[in-house]
Amino acid sequence: MTDEEGAVTGTDNAVADDDALYVLTAVLLTPAQFPSVLGDDYPEACAALGLGPYATGYGLVMGQDGDGARWTVVVDDVSLVAVAIASWDCGMEYDLSPDESSVVCALPGWPLAVAVAAPGVAAPHDPAPDPDADGGDPPPLAPPDTDVWGPAQRRLGADAIASQWAAWREQIDDSDSAESGPAGDGSEEAVSEDDHSSRTDGPDADAHADADSGSDPDSDIAADSTAPAGADASPADTGGAGGTDAGRAGADAGERSAQPGTHPGVRRALAEAQAYAGAPPPPGRIRSSFAPGDARTIRADGPGWSMAARTDDMAFLLLDEIPGEIMPVQRGKDLPGLLKALDALAVRPS
């Protein structure tokens, strides 16, 4: 993408009508595709920007005005923004100039880190307060803090795993996993008493999560994911997820998943994921995207946890309570059913 893809005339009072916005990049904010760094689901991501969860979503156009100030123009012409992003991803130029009638609002600041700047204007900075607003200006948007482990960093790590599945998967040696066998009640594989996990400081930890979909490493938006790599670590012998019956209550699923040696956070995350089948979560909490063959890549989030999985393989969990670590979940006999149920609930890109 070039440094300047086009110009949008601001319609918000804070942006003068004759002051063009030099477009630097754009992202989608829809139920199926949104910057997951902003929230666990689509409504939460919208709330972070002060927007309502409009069913068809928004396009977020980020750029600078003539003074170099950062602005995010929110438009409801999602198709136009999607075409622009697809063109830029293919290395083609595209003049992203939404019609004035499609502009919902202009927000000061950027909600995501942008790696480029407009030429010929001042360095990016937050706009000065509007003197006519009498202190009622919204605070400038700013990217979530990803320097300290927390929900934003956890979701970015899961995004990086989902987008670079082969690189993460090859670091897990299945031979190190516990042997399958009775777990006492015959309902699940036996698991190791030692709960190993991979650290986020491996050689691939500089992978950047995509800011517009949470999965494209080629985005122009810089988001330091420091996602789990751990090439020298053994997998967590967590067994499968609990149950394949989509209507089963979460408590029952938790019982089946709660195996000796499994971290309690993993058991809780698997139980909550299973419970989604009986009580579907907000839009965007579960997302499904293409994978090689007939498989699907699943990204799911919940309170304090994020999952990246392939329906034909295993799953990885990241937990707020275990900073910087990835918890592999072996396929077992129940995980396939869980992933199939999540895929059925997932929002898919159109």
Side-chain angles (χ1 to χ4, degrees):
M1 189 194 313
T2 59
D3 285 348
E4 181 181 339
E5 295 294 349
V8 177
T9 300
T11 60
D12 189 272
N13 291 336
V15 183
D17 289 340
D18 59 352
D19 198 3
L21 181 79
Y22 297 93
V23 177
L24 300 177
T25 191
V27 298
L28 296 180
L29 179 61
T30 69
Q33 192 171 355
F34 60 91
S36 63
V37 68
L38 298 179
D40 281 337
D41 50 54
Y42 173 64
E44 186 176 327
C46 289
L49 305 182
L51 301 172
Y54 185 44
T56 57
Y58 307 91
L60 306 180
V61 182
M62 288 170 280
Q64 294 173 262
D65 64 17
D67 294 326
R70 306 181 186 97
W71 289 95
T72 299
V73 176
V74 182
V75 301
D76 59 16
D77 192 343
V78 175
S79 297
L80 178 66
V81 176
V83 170
I85 294 171
S87 298
W88 297 336
D89 286 346
C90 293
M92 302 168 58
E93 293 191 6
Y94 190 93
D95 180 11
L96 177 55
S97 298
D99 186 84
E100 182 175 327
S101 63
S102 71
V103 176
V104 177
C105 63
L107 303 173
W110 294 332
L112 307 163
V114 178
V116 295
V121 300
H125 61 274
D126 290 333
D130 183 1
D132 298 327
D134 294 328
D137 284 334
L141 300 175
D145 183 8
T146 57
D147 291 333
V148 179
W149 184 261
Q153 188 72 291
R154 177 246 300 164
R155 290 188 293 262
L156 286 174
D159 289 345
I161 295 171
S163 65
Q164 301 177 27
W165 181 266
W168 302 119
R169 184 61 177 90
E170 69 183 9
Q171 297 178 48
I172 302 300
D173 185 356
D174 291 335
S175 65
D176 290 340
S177 304
E179 295 291 334
S180 297
D185 60 1
S187 65
E188 187 59 272
E189 283 81 5
V191 295
S192 169
E193 292 291 338
D194 295 325
D195 185 23
H196 302 294
S197 60
S198 300
R199 295 291 303 175
T200 62
D201 53 0
D204 295 331
D206 60 348
H208 287 177
D210 173 55
D212 57 336
S213 66
S215 63
D216 184 358
D218 297 327
S219 171
D220 283 340
I221 297 175
D224 183 12
S225 68
T226 58
D232 57 349
S234 298
D237 301 321
T238 59
T244 59
D245 182 2
R248 188 184 339 170
D252 185 39
E255 290 176 1
R256 289 175 60 85
S257 296
Q259 298 301 311
T262 304
H263 189 281
V266 172
R267 297 197 297 269
R268 174 181 57 81
L270 293 174
E272 290 179 359
Q274 179 67 53
Y276 285 162
R285 185 71 64 91
I286 309 170
R287 301 181 297 284
S288 175
S289 58
F290 292 105
D294 295 328
R296 302 289 299 182
T297 297
I298 302 296
R299 269 287 288 112
D301 294 293
W305 60 269
S306 291
M307 173 190 289
R310 281 270 297 270
T311 55
D312 63 345
D313 199 357
M314 60 184 295
F316 296 91
L317 285 171
L318 289 84
L319 308 174
D320 284 351
E321 62 200 85
I322 314 178
E325 295 189 2
I326 174 176
M327 310 298 288
V329 180
Q330 299 298 338
R331 187 165 178 83
K333 66 180 182 181
D334 286 330
L335 184 63
L338 172 62
L339 298 181
K340 181 178 180 181
L342 293 178
D343 182 49
L345 293 169
V347 179
R348 303 188 181 201
S350 57

